[in-house]
Amino acid sequence: MSPRDPSLSPALRLRARGALANETGRFESERREAFHDGWDLPEEERLLRTEVRTERPRSALSYNRSPDLPFDRSVNPYRGCEHGCIYCFARPSHAYLNLSPGLDFETRLIARPGIAAVLERELRARAYHVAPIALGTNTDPYQPIEASHRLMREILEVLQAFRHPVAITTKGTLIERDLDLLAPMASEGLLRVGVSVTTLDPVLSRRLEPRAPQPARRLETIRRLSDAGVPVRAMVAPVIPGLTDPEIDGILEAVAAAGAVAASWIMLRLPLEVAPLVRAWAEEHYPDRAAKMLARIREIHGGRDYDPAWGKRMRGEGIWADLVARRFRLAAARHGLDRTQPPLRCDLFRAPPRAGDQLTLF
């Protein structure tokens, strides 16, 4: 086992966490490091627990102009994610909160109560132009704290009332709770869901995504959504070279059997603080293949841990990236998952009447 990272107190006990460090965010002027103070006094061991704070949202819709994304707006009810996926590209966003992209990202979470009311106000604006809203683009909206905060449920109620198109990305089974909202929206062409399946190996999954549902449970979620008439796209994301890429065909076979109608993939990307976190994780859990795996990642991204160029950041380039793309394309065709999903409907959008509004005669 590797030596304990100096950013962690020796008395801090980790259980089911992805990151092995809690380095200070990149915008901080000071760096914290645990050290022995010279006093021979036993320090009481404590378990690192999840903390949830609240934030009053001033806006709900977040817009982007990224040419390699299929959406231009999203809503994020939470900041940080308790699933603790070590590879999560959103980890660096926690630095903007003066928190660490390491363990803080998965243990010091921000809930945004009232975001549904803010969203409703924004959708009623005269200047609003309807286009599909993406949910789950930064952190998972169905992570465990959704069970008590129910912010995603409130957002969906607003979107259903406005008959607004929406695409959801998740690996959380809590989505099944909202089938009474999702199924009618899907029947009108207003909804589709992407479920992330990184691996079918439960041991690897527990190490990669310590507090996310196990692979078999995610397949069951795909089955339940599909049975309810909700179109599901399986997302093999991320593909980790030298670790999960041999599973591509097996994953696609399993998700097709569960009822998925389409599939997509994204190559592992390691922006900013994610790179050292994944490097430490690989050396801790897979020391026999860590060096080869990390070298392959750099080769795919042009000799760097991450190439942020549009069109390259989520696919990579070179012989290994081409090999993964070809393997995925052939497997998707073999299992009937290479189809293009129809666009979500925007023509049904309308603002529902509010209490006190004058009704029309026709």
Side-chain angles (χ1 to χ4, degrees):
M1 182 173 290
S2 304
R4 192 176 184 85
D5 191 274
S7 64
L8 301 180
S9 166
L12 189 65
R13 183 161 60 91
L14 308 181
R15 185 172 66 193
R17 301 296 181 184
L20 302 173
N22 206 37
E23 286 287 352
T24 309
R26 62 190 179 282
F27 300 116
E28 300 303 297
S29 59
E30 298 178 349
R31 181 174 180 269
R32 298 182 297 273
E33 184 173 313
F35 69 95
H36 193 272
D37 59 9
W39 291 88
D40 293 326
L41 298 175
E43 189 172 353
E44 185 176 351
E45 185 179 70
R46 68 179 181 87
L47 179 67
L48 180 61
R49 300 187 183 279
T50 302
E51 302 174 10
V52 183
R53 290 181 283 175
T54 59
E55 166 191 290
R56 178 179 294 179
R58 290 177 293 182
S59 62
L61 288 167
S62 176
Y63 290 89
N64 77 83
R65 294 183 176 86
S66 303
D68 57 354
L69 292 179
F71 58 89
D72 71 349
R73 66 200 68 184
S74 59
V75 176
N76 291 289
Y78 303 105
R79 304 190 193 277
C81 185
E82 194 176 3
H83 283 159
C85 305
I86 188 59
Y87 52 73
C88 184
F89 70 89
R91 283 181 177 273
S93 64
H94 236 46
Y96 292 106
L97 305 175
N98 295 330
L99 295 171
S100 173
L103 285 167
D104 281 352
F105 177 79
E106 52 194 278
T107 61
R108 301 181 70 178
L109 312 178
I110 310 292
R112 307 176 71 198
I115 194 169
V118 176
L119 175 61
E120 178 175 356
R121 185 182 70 228
E122 293 176 345
L123 296 184
R124 288 187 183 277
R126 289 182 179 272
Y128 181 73
H129 174 71
V130 63
I133 290 175
L135 294 167
T137 59
N138 199 48
T139 59
D140 200 317
Y142 284 109
Q143 59 179 289
I145 60 172
E146 166 63 15
S148 55
H149 288 269
R150 298 176 67 84
L151 302 184
M152 184 63 174
R153 174 81 185 185
E154 294 174 9
I155 289 170
L156 285 175
E157 288 171 345
V158 169
L159 294 175
Q160 184 189 47
F162 279 79
R163 303 180 80 181
H164 196 293
V166 58
I168 301 172
T169 299
T170 185
K171 54 171 65 80
T173 58
L174 266 172
I175 192 173
E176 297 169 10
R177 177 202 64 192
D178 295 335
L179 275 172
D180 61 317
L181 299 174
L182 300 175
M185 294 179 73
S187 69
E188 292 187 297
L190 294 171
L191 171 85
R192 60 171 170 255
V193 173
V195 175
S196 173
V197 182
T198 314
T199 176
L200 297 177
D201 181 346
V203 175
L204 175 56
S205 177
R206 185 57 67 219
R207 292 172 178 172
L208 273 174
E209 312 150 330
R211 298 201 175 202
Q214 284 281 280
R217 185 64 183 85
R218 282 181 236 177
L219 294 176
E220 181 60 25
T221 293
I222 293 174
R223 184 172 294 107
R224 293 180 182 181
L225 290 169
S226 300
D227 289 347
V230 177
V232 178
R233 173 172 55 98
M235 304 171 63
V236 186
V239 173
I240 304 177
L243 190 62
T244 67
D245 57 310
E247 293 192 67
I248 289 174
D249 189 79
I251 292 173
L252 293 183
E253 180 180 10
V255 298
V261 297
S264 62
W265 70 281
I266 296 176
M267 185 68 76
L268 175 69
R269 47 186 171 137
L270 305 178
L272 300 169
E273 294 94 342
V274 183
L277 289 169
V278 168
R279 189 177 302 116
W281 178 91
E283 292 169 351
E284 172 71 16
H285 294 290
Y286 296 96
D288 58 326
R289 69 181 86 172
K292 183 177 180 181
M293 184 179 83
L294 295 168
R296 185 67 50 79
I297 292 170
R298 286 191 293 272
E299 185 177 352
I300 285 171
H301 291 290
R304 296 186 287 171
D305 288 328
Y306 177 56
D307 182 353
W310 306 127
K312 294 182 181 179
R313 57 180 183 156
M314 291 186 281
R315 286 289 188 266
E317 58 183 338
I319 186 172
W320 296 111
D322 292 344
L323 183 62
V324 169
R326 177 177 171 78
R327 182 186 300 170
F328 185 92
R329 185 170 61 252
L330 293 174
R334 184 161 51 249
H335 298 295
L337 297 171
D338 57 342
R339 66 191 74 176
T340 300
Q341 292 181 279
L344 294 171
R345 294 186 64 178
C346 296
D347 59 307
L348 299 178
F349 176 78
R350 51 102 177 96
R354 292 172 291 192
D357 284 355
Q358 182 174 349
L359 300 180
T360 60
L361 294 177
F362 302 101

